[in-house]
Amino acid sequence: MSQIQSIVARRIWDSRGIPTVEVELALEDGTIGRGIAPAGASRGQHEALELRDAGEAFGGKDVQQALQGLRHEIAPALLGMDAREQAAVDQRLIELDGTPNKSRLGANAIVATSMAVLNAAANSACKPLWRYLAGDAAASLPMPQIQIFGGGAHAGRRVDVQDFMVIAIGATSFEQSLEMTAEVYRHAGLLMQRKGTLMGVADEGGWWPAFSKNEQALDTLVAAIEAAGYTPGLDVGIALDIAASEFFADGKYRLALDNRSLDSNGFAELLMRWIEQYPIVSIEDPLSESDEQGLIDFTREAGHRIQIVGDDYLVTDATRIRAAAACGACNTVLIKPNQIGTMTETRAAIDAAKAVGYKTIVSARSGETEDTMIVHLATGWDAGQLKVGSFARSERMAKWNEGIRIETSSGASLPFANGFRRMA
Ligand code: PGA
Ligand code: ZN
């Protein structure tokens, strides 16, 4: 019944107007499942590799090779396999590719296939994906981390820090966390408009700011939280994704906006000052993925007070997560399925994080589509937190809206994961 009967691969377009891979497969019982590969702009060097054609078309980013591999290798290899056997399908994909970083068939082709298989299996069981994933285990609505200003690689490097986000730490439901964030986002836009610092929206829908210092972003964020009627640090906290690998070279962190260059200790001290001065509850990639000692030291300094999230450094890889725990770097893991390439390996990364006592945040990429699968992953896998960009643009809102649907249709059975409440 749930045998894979046909697989269609097509090129569709992501939120930046860049080609991406969609896989649609049909099972013998007539159900279909779809998977769409997202795409990052600030990638970790240990991520699985997405296959792009190079050449003239679409800035070298076409995906015809990935589609060829899907049609001529992946599809014939998976036909007849049982979609409920996710681990076996994913193992088949890994063996078929045969490289350590999925570079031959492409992580974009592989992740889209793996996602499609999982969706098909859930559809065949007539269950929403989150419920199919949870089975008898615990599930919860995740706490959202929502971007207010975009920077770094997502806003022409206008500010050095990539994401200035908020977490509605006082919220008692998913829906309420969105209501609170909507007001903060709106007030941030109004404040910036008044001061002439609003340039539009960045890649993930956050305001594109014309600030003259990184601290101006933090000050504006605090002012926006207050203007929205909330107490910073009590109702709403600040989360940053420094994405520090992006401006680290030759042992130095180069802050273009502040016209400063700092060594690892100096940059960590700057971040510690920000933690003292602002209601920061979470910092992602505070130091470069290649500055492991810096990450260890920073975690020792600040890890008991705030969340220290590994994205570029951990790349959703269970082996890297266990190694980081052994040396004491970070205390939270960002989970992006296309960093590792299959659903089974993504789940293994979550399990590895939980086993070492690290928290988890399921995350979208800056290049997204209308696909809402990650909301179900975060819920069904009881991940605790969800990061999908800002509170604008439909590829982001589709995810927040899906969370509302899950919350309101599940009755009281599904708790809202607010692990920050004790901070408030
Ligand atoms: P991305 O970055 O552009 O690689 O998706 C998002 C992030 O750093 O969290
Ligand atoms: Zn990041």
Side-chain angles (χ1 to χ4, degrees):
M1 285 294 277
S2 44
Q3 267 72 25
I4 299 169
Q5 194 173 49
S6 66
I7 300 182
V8 174
R10 54 175 77 96
R11 181 185 69 189
I12 62 166
W13 304 88
D14 76 10
S15 54
R16 285 190 273 246
I18 290 173
T20 192
V21 174
E22 173 171 284
V23 172
E24 190 174 281
L25 56 83
L27 307 185
E28 266 173 25
D29 63 10
T31 53
I32 64 157
R34 210 179 269 156
I36 306 175
S42 73
R43 289 187 290 263
Q45 53 181 321
H46 298 286
E47 283 191 28
L49 208 96
E50 58 176 32
L51 203 55
R52 300 280 184 189
D53 295 347
E56 285 293 298
F58 315 122
K61 295 196 167 165
D62 207 355
V63 291
Q64 298 303 333
Q65 289 175 55
L67 294 177
Q68 289 302 317
L70 264 162
R71 288 170 187 147
H72 300 298
E73 293 196 57
I74 292 177
L78 296 195
L79 290 183
M81 287 189 86
D82 190 328
R84 291 170 304 184
E85 305 290 333
Q86 185 77 37
V89 171
D90 287 342
Q91 191 53 38
R92 185 88 186 86
L93 289 168
I94 290 166
E95 284 165 8
L96 201 60
D97 173 74
T99 67
N101 62 351
K102 303 187 175 66
S103 54
R104 197 180 73 78
L105 292 169
N108 41 356
I110 291 172
V111 82
T113 307
S114 185
M115 292 161 86
V117 170
L118 181 54
N119 276 321
N123 290 344
S124 174
C126 294
K127 285 185 178 157
L129 179 58
W130 71 265
R131 211 183 273 280
Y132 175 77
L133 288 170
D136 293 329
S140 60
L141 259 315
M143 169 61 93
Q145 230 182 67
I146 305 186
Q147 189 193 66
I148 305 297
F149 313 128
H154 303 160
R157 305 222 63 82
R158 186 59 188 78
V159 289
D160 300 292
V161 174
Q162 182 179 281
D163 291 318
F164 293 90
M165 297 170 287
V166 294
I167 302 179
I169 58 179
T172 56
S173 70
F174 186 85
E175 228 180 341
Q176 191 193 9
S177 76
L178 298 183
E179 284 170 14
M180 293 167 75
T181 307
E183 290 291 27
V184 175
Y185 181 74
R186 189 170 70 84
H187 280 282
L190 289 173
L191 286 172
M192 292 165 81
Q193 209 165 30
R194 233 171 275 144
K195 294 206 167 142
T197 52
L198 181 60
M199 308 300 283
V201 295
D203 279 13
E204 296 189 359
W207 302 119
W208 181 309
F211 294 142
S212 51
K213 278 170 70 82
N214 288 292
E215 278 91 347
Q216 197 182 347
L218 292 163
D219 289 330
T220 308
L221 213 41
V222 170
I225 293 168
E226 286 169 344
Y230 297 114
T231 306
L234 195 63
D235 303 315
V236 181
I238 293 177
L240 303 175
D241 181 1
I242 307 290
S245 312
E246 294 277 315
F247 52 88
F248 180 71
D250 306 325
K252 296 273 190 222
Y253 293 89
R254 289 173 215 286
L255 292 169
L257 190 57
D258 302 349
N259 196 18
R260 272 206 289 179
S261 196
L262 296 164
D263 65 11
S264 184
N265 284 338
F267 191 59
E269 276 166 26
L270 173 70
L271 295 179
M272 288 307 294
R273 275 202 298 282
W274 287 357
I275 294 170
E276 294 297 334
Q277 286 167 17
Y278 300 98
I280 293 170
V281 296
S282 180
I283 303 189
E284 182 177 328
D285 286 343
L287 296 137
S288 166
E289 60 187 310
S290 54
D291 183 8
E292 188 166 67
Q293 192 55 49
L295 284 165
I296 295 168
D297 294 343
F298 188 71
T299 305
R300 200 181 307 122
E301 284 266 312
H304 58 288
R305 295 171 59 178
I306 64 161
Q307 216 172 235
I308 299 174
V309 187
D311 171 16
D312 291 356
Y313 172 61
L314 297 174
V315 291
T316 317
D317 182 335
T319 307
R320 293 183 65 83
I321 292 164
R322 283 189 284 266
C327 64
C330 305
N331 59 24
T332 305
V333 185
L334 205 73
I335 300 287
K336 292 168 166 170
N338 78 328
Q339 280 184 326
I340 191 72
T342 64
M343 290 292 112
T344 304
E345 291 163 291
T346 305
R347 174 64 203 244
I350 295 210
D351 289 343
K354 288 183 178 174
V356 297
Y358 281 24
K359 288 179 282 175
T360 54
I361 307 169
V362 174
S363 172
R365 302 303 305 240
S366 52
E368 270 294 328
T369 64
E370 65 276 23
D371 184 29
T372 60
M373 189 171 184
I374 56 165
V375 187
H376 288 264
L377 300 183
T379 305
W381 284 340
D382 197 23
Q385 295 175 62
L386 177 65
K387 176 189 177 196
V388 310
S390 193
F391 209 68
R393 300 180 38 145
S394 287
E395 79 279 6
R396 313 291 151 187
M397 302 317 293
K399 280 113 174 134
W400 302 132
N401 291 341
E402 184 72 357
I404 293 175
R405 284 182 204 107
I406 296 173
E407 185 168 67
T408 53
S409 63
S410 68
S413 65
L414 211 45
F416 173 55
N418 186 349
F420 292 90
R421 205 167 298 143
R422 63 195 151 65
M423 283 185 177

